Amino acid sequence: MLFPKAQQELVNCATNVRIRDVEVLTVYLDLQPVPFNKGFYSVDMTFFFDVSLDLFRAPASGPIAVHGISIFTKKVILYGSEGNVKMFTSDGSTEDIDNTGCKVLPKATVQVAQPIALSARICEGGHHCCEPCCRIPECICNRYGGEFETSPCDRVIYATIGLFIIVQIVRNVQMLIPAYDFCVPEKECETSSDNPCELFRRIEFPTDEFFPPKAGDCGCGYNDRS
């Protein structure tokens, strides 16, 4: 995990840690065709998590709440079919010929359920750099008040997160759907009567409302005891 400088100093002095909650900040996706395997694409996903922790400096001390980010990367290969056409739109630039048409590629999407905060532990950093596996977006840095501490640190925290995702490749396809002409009503709906008493007479008497259900009707067994 990565922390701002002020919170990294608290981590260096902590003796124990407890994970409280985790939230997905954003997911970056990169779609690339797989060489020599037509129709298949590799989807590289980078997850950014906001992890809430409680730090303890001594066994009898109270917890100190801190927030840090955890980064997780995953790659999957999916079939997205082939498309050998170019798409031209009315809002394309007429001055630049390179921007007038683009090859139709599929689009990668990922659905992420609420992550599960499983555990966290403190390990000795060994004065190694906590260099992230990718560049942290500026919007995430601004959320935490500045750059994250990547210099050698005394202690690091590893978080275990349960994650459920669905990765898809979506492509626009042509579909033939039968279409019908407008259906204009030819007859006018007429009410039989405006008399409320006549309408009330058509309603069946609610006998069940006056007799409560028996134990067998409500699915309650006689042997059930609370």
Side-chain angles (χ1 to χ4, degrees):
M1 290 184 58
L2 297 174
F3 300 91
K5 184 177 181 179
Q7 296 191 359
Q8 182 61 50
E9 295 176 355
L10 298 176
V11 173
N12 294 336
C13 300
T15 59
N16 197 3
V17 63
R18 178 179 62 193
I19 191 168
R20 297 177 57 190
D21 195 15
V22 60
E23 178 188 357
V24 180
L25 294 176
T26 186
V27 183
Y28 284 5
L29 294 96
D30 181 41
L31 180 72
Q32 295 293 335
V34 177
F36 311 109
N37 203 346
K38 292 184 177 181
F40 285 85
Y41 297 83
S42 65
V43 183
D44 292 280
M45 297 169 287
T46 304
F47 297 83
F48 294 89
F49 300 97
D50 172 69
V51 184
S52 175
L53 302 170
D54 284 337
L55 299 178
F56 299 88
R57 291 190 175 183
S61 64
I64 302 175
V66 297
H67 284 263
I69 67 165
S70 180
I71 304 175
F72 172 68
T73 60
K74 184 176 180 61
K75 173 184 286 187
V76 298
I77 296 179
L78 301 175
Y79 181 73
S81 189
E82 298 182 63
N84 296 321
V85 298
K86 286 187 176 182
M87 181 180 293
F88 298 86
T89 59
S90 59
D91 56 354
S93 174
T94 57
E95 302 297 331
D96 190 358
I97 191 172
D98 295 333
N99 296 329
T100 56
C102 59
K103 190 175 181 179
V104 180
L105 294 175
K107 180 176 63 174
T109 62
V110 57
Q111 303 177 48
V112 186
Q114 176 63 33
I116 303 174
L118 297 177
S119 65
R121 70 181 190 273
I122 297 179
C123 298
E124 296 297 330
H127 299 282
H128 292 292
C129 295
C130 301
E131 191 68 27
C133 59
C134 63
R135 185 187 67 85
I136 301 177
E138 185 178 355
C139 58
I140 295 181
C141 294
N142 295 335
R143 173 171 178 165
Y144 290 84
E147 297 294 332
F148 288 88
E149 185 66 32
T150 58
S151 59
C153 49
D154 297 334
R155 294 182 178 180
V156 295
I157 294 180
Y158 294 95
T160 303
I161 301 171
L163 190 62
F164 298 95
I165 64 173
I166 297 178
V167 186
Q168 296 175 316
I169 286 184
V170 183
R171 178 186 288 275
N172 294 330
V173 296
Q174 304 294 332
M175 298 183 64
L176 181 62
I177 301 177
Y180 302 94
D181 201 357
F182 293 104
C183 181
V184 181
E186 298 179 356
K187 294 192 301 181
E188 183 179 354
C189 181
E190 298 180 359
T191 58
S192 57
S193 175
D194 293 332
N195 189 346
C197 296
E198 183 178 348
L199 177 62
F200 180 75
R201 293 191 187 98
R202 296 198 186 100
I203 301 176
E204 296 183 2
F205 188 83
T207 307
D208 296 337
E209 299 296 330
F210 293 88
F211 296 92
K214 297 180 295 184
D217 297 337
C218 65
C220 301
Y222 292 101
N223 296 328
D224 296 339
R225 295 291 184 271
S226 300

